[in-house]
Amino acid sequence: MRIYLDYNATTPPSPAVIAALQETLPLVFGNPSSVHYFGQQAKAVLDAARLSTATLIGGDPSEVIFTSGGTEADNFALRGAADAAEPTGRRHIIASAIEHEAVLQTLKALARRGWTVTLLPVDATGIVSAASLEAAMTPDTSIVSVMHANNEIGTIQPVAALAAIAHAGGAVFHTDAVQSVAKIPVDVRSLGVDLLSLSAHKFGGPKGIGALWVKRGTRLAAVMTGGRQERNRRAGTENVPGIAGLGAAARLGVDKLSAESDRLARLRDRLESGILARVPDTAVNGDPSQRVPNTTNVSFDGIEAESLLIALDLEGIAVSTGSACSSGTLEPSHVLKAMGLSAHRTQNSLRFSLGERNTDAEIDRVLDVLPGLVSRLRGITAGKATGAVASASS
Ligand code: PLP
């Protein structure tokens, strides 16, 4: 049996999502901008999906702009807000040090354009403090972006408090909610944000489709220019089947959120406590309570995360490391590094992220297999270390 524990990377499509794609792709082929029947049929699909996406996050359908996914939503939020703010001369942007690359790389692009970028530190559990944002705000700060839940450790940020501080300083507030939407209740009004990114494939929808929620009245320039789609804010003929899939996933998200999040939290906690009890020298990274219910990130002393990931994959168990492996060398996780973890711990941690298909039997299997794999790998590492000492002294 193959066990998928990498739901934060992507999720299998839910049956209702597959049905929505199968119905829409062949039958609803009109261009939503066309005036005739076929166009209006496609526009009705967009309207229905816009309503269910807005309902999932407590927004108004007119505030939902469909994008090609979370990366585009983040780019749109930051570049669009920056373009809109530039005439005011306030070119300072603040974000957390643990944002996804979709935000971090966009900040680098803004820095190349003359923006000043401040990255806020996080504490040892990965939380941004209100005090650090207050201290970082300047009269030039026009944008603040702090993610809702982190993709590697699942930690949830105090977004409402941070948004209030940004607003007090006259800045717009964006949150990347790609990892929180449909995992925990996300309500744009109680979070008090101006811009919120989401991505369908993280909650049972298709890949390549997402949305940016834009609070009415927020100053945001179009980034994708061309036709007048999406109220003239995001040009390009809409991905109608993808949007239908996002709509179906959003409807499911609303229906299942509370029962599913309780079930996942129970499975995750069983996995986590089982690992800590059965595998010595392990520790959980992140905040134990302020985190999404499906995620745990565990450090395994004395091994490289990538080796354990491969060993688990050979046993049919798919997990992930937060660290990027480029050309054979393991880059430390920027998230764990920002939390002040030791260099070794930034490279020996695995993320287990659960979802709707996971069962108790799968957790049992992982807990049966993991201790043996870890002790085998630790044996190899210890052997290598002894060999290295011997050759160095000879
Ligand atoms: N933001 C976060 C926090 C993510 O985890 C991801 C995906 O890994 C993205 C943005 C990018 O979303 P997408 O894959 O839809 O481009």
Side-chain angles (χ1 to χ4, degrees):
M1 99 170 145
R2 288 213 169 260
I3 301 175
Y4 186 73
L5 294 174
D6 200 12
Y7 277 77
N8 286 8
T10 196
T11 58
S14 307
V17 170
I18 297 171
L21 289 170
Q22 280 169 340
E23 281 162 26
T24 314
L25 189 60
L27 296 178
V28 188
F29 62 84
N31 185 325
S33 299
S34 300
V35 174
H36 49 62
Y37 169 83
F38 297 92
Q40 293 311 297
Q41 191 192 22
K43 185 168 176 305
V45 169
L46 300 195
D47 290 345
R50 208 181 297 281
L51 175 61
S52 43
T53 305
T55 305
L56 179 64
I57 56 171
D60 189 85
S62 64
E63 299 169 314
V64 172
I65 304 179
F66 294 119
T67 65
S68 66
T71 299
E72 186 192 321
D74 286 344
N75 269 264
F76 186 6
L78 301 181
R79 291 174 194 265
D83 285 349
E86 244 158 47
T88 68
R90 297 170 63 195
R91 293 166 142 239
H92 178 223
I93 182 164
I94 302 175
S96 86
I98 63 167
E99 297 297 312
H100 188 270
E101 290 296 329
V103 167
L104 292 177
Q105 294 300 329
T106 306
L107 295 178
K108 283 190 185 159
L110 290 177
R112 286 193 293 273
R113 257 167 60 175
W115 279 68
T116 305
V117 177
T118 301
L119 291 184
L120 299 175
V122 293
D123 68 14
T125 66
I127 303 235
V128 175
S129 76
S132 74
L133 176 57
E134 250 159 11
M137 294 286 298
T138 75
D140 281 340
T141 311
S142 54
I143 309 168
V144 177
S145 178
V146 178
M147 69 199 317
H148 194 198
N150 181 267
N151 42 303
E152 288 184 33
I153 51 174
T155 300
I156 300 168
Q157 300 298 338
V159 163
L162 300 173
I165 294 166
H167 290 154
V172 296
F173 191 92
H174 165 248
T175 192
D176 174 340
V178 166
Q179 292 290 348
S180 60
V181 164
K183 288 182 185 149
I184 55 171
V186 172
D187 180 73
V188 286
R189 311 284 176 210
S190 49
L191 288 175
V193 299
D194 304 297
L195 300 160
L196 178 143
S197 305
L198 61 88
S199 173
H201 76 103
K202 306 290 185 178
F203 58 97
K207 292 164 191 50
I209 189 74
L212 180 67
W213 174 83
V214 184
K215 186 178 167 189
R216 192 168 303 133
T218 305
R219 289 167 47 78
L220 189 77
V223 170
M224 195 76 87
T225 49
R228 303 180 59 83
Q229 290 89 355
E230 298 296 281
R231 296 170 179 256
N232 213 10
R233 301 189 106 168
R234 197 273 188 183
T237 302
E238 298 87 345
N239 172 359
V240 178
I243 291 170
L246 164 60
R251 269 188 294 281
L252 284 175
V254 172
D255 294 346
K256 296 206 304 200
L257 182 71
S258 123
E260 184 60 2
S261 72
D262 289 351
R263 192 187 74 88
L264 290 179
R266 190 186 58 74
L267 280 183
R268 186 272 316 271
D269 291 348
R270 209 162 74 72
L271 172 67
E272 186 175 278
S273 53
I275 295 174
L276 295 178
R278 294 188 199 191
V279 188
D281 302 319
T282 47
V284 174
N285 303 313
D287 193 280
S289 57
Q290 291 305 307
R291 59 178 169 162
V292 286
N294 78 320
T295 307
T296 181
N297 184 299
V298 183
S299 284
F300 296 84
D301 261 14
I303 54 168
E304 280 234 326
E306 203 76 6
S307 315
L308 184 53
L309 182 146
I310 291 164
L312 281 166
D313 192 40
L314 291 173
E315 294 288 340
I317 300 165
V319 299
S320 157
T321 81
S323 333
C325 184
S326 49
S327 57
T329 49
L330 204 61
E331 297 281 331
S333 149
H334 73 284
V335 175
L336 301 182
K337 215 167 147 184
M339 287 159 61
L341 298 191
S342 67
H344 176 54
R345 212 160 141 190
T346 61
Q347 290 174 310
N348 72 359
S349 303
L350 283 187
R351 175 185 74 188
F352 301 82
S353 51
L354 284 62
E356 69 172 357
R357 294 191 186 173
N358 294 134
T359 62
D360 273 296
E362 291 183 334
I363 300 303
D364 290 338
R365 162 101 182 118
V366 176
L367 291 175
D368 282 347
V369 165
L370 196 55
L373 294 180
V374 173
S375 64
R376 184 159 60 77
L377 289 171
R378 282 180 178 157
I380 295 170
T381 316
K384 267 195 202 154
T386 323
V389 172
S391 58
S393 60
S394 63

